[in-house]
Amino acid sequence: MSDRVSVLIGAQWGDEGKGRVVDVLAKDADVVVRFQGGANAGHTVVVEGKKHVFHILPSGMLYPGKTCVIGNGLVVDPEQLRNEMEELDPKPEAIGVKLLISYSAHIVMPYHKKLDALAEHARSASGAGPIGTTGRGIGPCYVDKYSRIGIRAEDLVSPKVLEKKLRANVEEKNQILEKIYGAPKLDFNELYELATRWGEFMAPYLGDSTLEIDGAVTSGKSVLFEGAQGTLLDVDHGTYPFVTSSSCVSGGASIGGALGPGRFSRVIGVVKAYCTRVGEGPFPTEDRGVMGDRLRENGAEFGATTGRPRRCGWLDLVALNYAVKVNGIDSIALTKLDVLSGIGNLKVCDAYEINGKKYAAFPNSATIIENARPLYREMPAWDADISGCRRFEDLPEEARGYVRFIEDSASVKVSLIGVGPDREDTILRGF
Ligand code: GDP
Ligand code: IMO
Ligand code: MG
């Protein structure tokens, strides 16, 4: 199968290690495209011990000569973008990296973050309970996009359009802030000036990502689409309402990256060797005891965006099989296998029991999944440090068995194994 046009997505609840896998695969890609989400993402790449965390920028920004695209499906926080560009080392211009930001990407305004915080607070105070958002204004910005009042990147460089749209937004938001939340009003002039400054900074990068991506694919270049969040945080296919506000599944790449479905060659699902989740919502294999703490400690499971401790638990094959189907995953990149070394009694969940009934398939129903109790299978464990292994054959037999068990359960090949956070800590088995 051609591997020219790949989509890489998270197969769990985010933080599977997408950034580090994109970094490995970007070596052979000409173009790397982010297609959804915003600065709620935190994608970590470690190169020779140096850590880089990408929130908005594609994780291919560290390789010389690449084109990196922020697609139309994103909600871009220009403040965050500027910080990230400033912190980036090496600088894109020094290594010939071209950044292109779609004209049609939406802009996260300060009022989106304010509304995100206020809505969370209101949900906490009411019976609904919070979602545990990252507070990055993601939900409110996508609401404006779908209400057709959102401010797009191109508007930042069209003063008249910006003024008209921003005025209407400020009027609307002030009603909401004042009447629903009793919060202070927004100042139009202040926001207009801020947005104009953002436009000046972003202008050199703005362009038509649809043409760029079509041109790259048509001319036979290798294009890698980088997903953010994960399948179970997808607005349609995740554990709604405890999800993010975008399409994190592979299909999202077609919409947010502007390429027809038939033009993709393969789908890579990034899977952590166990499970984690940040924020609220169902997590059947969560371990709130000693084992959860051990996984968090061994795996350094603290959010790359908010620093929150991640909830931890065993690998959930029921959820993984669902992700394989929803995304059409044809290879798995399995990360953090090293974290399981010496962990003790190793388990995987291969079915749920829900209200006295056994489920082998993931039920995409908020009310059903809420009551899922995991059924576990014990797995042979290993103690050896595997972080130095570079070939599959170097792994202890039990670790190989764990990988093969995942392959058999998901009917998908594990093509890459992460045995440490660094670019080099990777076992490649051929995609
Ligand atoms: P993403 O959001 O999917 O890109 O994942 P994050 O960057 O939020 O979280 C993954 C974390 O695990 C980061 O701290 C990575 O450096 C780290 N990591 C990724 N792969 C491996 C691995 O194979 N082993 C270990 N020990 N750490 C890894
Ligand atoms: P990456 O790309 C893990 C979670 C939040 C919250 C829910 C909604 O690094 O895997 P939002 O701010 O998007 O409205 O929050 O989604 N969430 C993530 N969890 N990794 C992420 O991104 C996430 N992005 C959002 O914790 O539960
Ligand atoms: Mg992350």
Side-chain angles (χ1 to χ4, degrees):
M1 187 195 295
S2 154
D3 59 0
R4 271 204 310 107
V5 186
S6 313
V7 191
L8 177 146
I9 50 85
Q12 295 158 323
W13 280 275
D15 302 328
E16 297 90 348
K18 297 176 292 293
R20 75 78 49 102
V21 179
V22 167
D23 172 67
V24 171
L25 299 179
K27 182 167 172 268
D28 300 320
D30 300 299
V31 184
V32 182
V33 185
R34 268 277 309 264
F35 59 87
Q36 44 71 231
N40 48 350
H43 296 178
T44 315
V45 175
V46 183
V47 187
E48 291 171 3
K50 188 166 179 229
K51 185 169 159 178
H52 309 256
V53 183
F54 297 105
H55 299 285
I56 286 279
L57 291 171
S59 302
M61 294 291 294
L62 300 173
Y63 271 113
K66 308 293 173 191
T67 296
C68 287
V69 180
I70 292 182
N72 58 276
L74 269 85
V75 289
V76 177
D77 178 345
E79 212 67 56
Q80 178 64 43
L81 177 71
R82 185 169 22 206
N83 292 343
E84 232 168 282
M85 294 286 281
E86 277 170 12
E87 278 169 23
L88 202 59
D89 177 28
K91 295 281 170 231
E93 52 281 12
I95 56 169
V97 168
K98 173 181 161 189
L99 174 67
L100 174 68
I101 303 172
S102 165
Y103 284 137
S104 325
H106 278 247
I107 299 297
V108 177
M109 298 296 293
Y111 49 78
H112 291 131
K113 290 189 225 174
K114 206 171 273 183
L115 288 168
D116 193 357
L118 288 166
E120 274 287 84
H121 191 260
R123 280 190 292 263
S124 305
S126 77
I131 292 170
T133 72
T134 58
R136 298 298 173 102
I138 306 299
C141 188
Y142 277 116
V143 165
D144 281 358
K145 169 174 173 170
Y146 287 96
S147 293
R148 294 155 293 177
I149 57 169
I151 292 173
R152 307 214 297 187
E154 62 177 340
D155 303 332
L156 299 182
V157 291
S158 300
K160 285 208 175 98
V161 180
L162 177 65
E163 181 176 354
K164 196 169 153 201
K165 280 184 147 187
L166 189 59
R167 250 186 224 294
N169 268 287
V170 166
E171 252 171 55
E172 190 217 45
K173 266 60 178 185
N174 276 342
Q175 297 277 332
I176 298 172
L177 287 168
E178 215 184 8
K179 294 189 178 149
I180 298 184
Y181 296 115
K185 282 184 167 189
L186 306 168
D187 182 81
F188 168 81
N189 290 329
E190 209 176 281
L191 287 169
Y192 183 78
E193 270 171 38
L194 181 69
T196 304
R197 282 202 303 275
W198 286 347
E200 285 161 11
F201 147 68
M202 284 169 64
Y205 307 110
L206 294 180
D208 189 329
S209 62
T210 309
L211 280 184
E212 178 82 22
I213 294 166
D214 172 67
V217 173
T218 303
S219 63
K221 289 193 173 150
S222 170
V223 185
L224 175 61
F225 289 78
E226 171 181 6
Q229 290 80 53
T231 305
L232 294 155
L233 290 173
D234 180 276
V235 69
D236 287 273
H237 307 290
T239 52
Y240 192 90
F242 302 100
V243 294
T244 190
S245 301
S246 65
S247 299
C248 331
V249 294
S250 58
S254 193
I255 297 160
L259 194 71
R263 304 181 75 190
F264 291 89
S265 340
R266 64 172 179 181
V267 179
I268 299 159
V270 185
V271 178
K272 201 180 278 192
Y274 50 97
C275 281
T276 61
R277 174 165 204 165
V278 198
E280 305 301 319
F283 179 5
T285 63
E286 179 175 17
D287 188 316
R288 292 170 195 252
V290 176
M291 192 50 84
D293 290 345
R294 199 176 299 167
L295 286 167
R296 184 175 312 106
E297 204 172 299
N298 284 7
E301 294 295 354
F302 295 88
T305 298
T306 58
R308 291 179 288 179
R310 295 175 181 149
R311 300 157 64 191
C312 297
W314 296 122
L315 181 64
D316 184 340
L317 292 171
V318 183
L320 175 57
N321 279 320
Y322 171 71
V324 166
K325 293 191 180 80
V326 170
N327 294 290
I329 293 173
D330 31 49
S331 18
I332 288 175
L334 184 70
T335 61
K336 305 191 96 161
L337 189 63
D338 55 304
V339 175
L340 297 182
S341 295
I343 200 85
N345 301 328
L346 185 55
K347 292 195 279 188
V348 294
C349 162
D350 58 2
Y352 300 150
E353 193 212 279
I354 308 175
N355 301 325
K357 199 173 143 204
K358 191 170 168 182
Y359 282 71
F362 189 87
N364 187 13
S365 147
T367 46
I368 298 178
I369 194 67
E370 196 176 67
N371 297 311
R373 197 173 68 79
L375 300 176
Y376 287 116
R377 170 191 290 262
E378 299 265 347
M379 300 292 292
W382 64 94
D383 288 327
D385 175 4
I386 61 169
S387 58
C389 297
R390 295 291 175 268
R391 296 176 317 163
F392 188 62
E393 307 80 80
D394 298 340
L395 291 171
E397 194 187 328
E398 295 82 1
R400 276 182 277 142
Y402 190 75
V403 173
R404 289 205 185 99
F405 187 76
I406 294 171
E407 290 184 315
D408 289 345
S409 307
S411 302
V412 178
K413 184 177 174 194
V414 171
S415 302
L416 179 153
I417 300 169
V419 290
D422 211 281
R423 185 185 276 174
E424 302 304 319
D425 303 332
T426 309
I427 296 175
L428 285 167
R429 299 178 75 209
F431 277 92

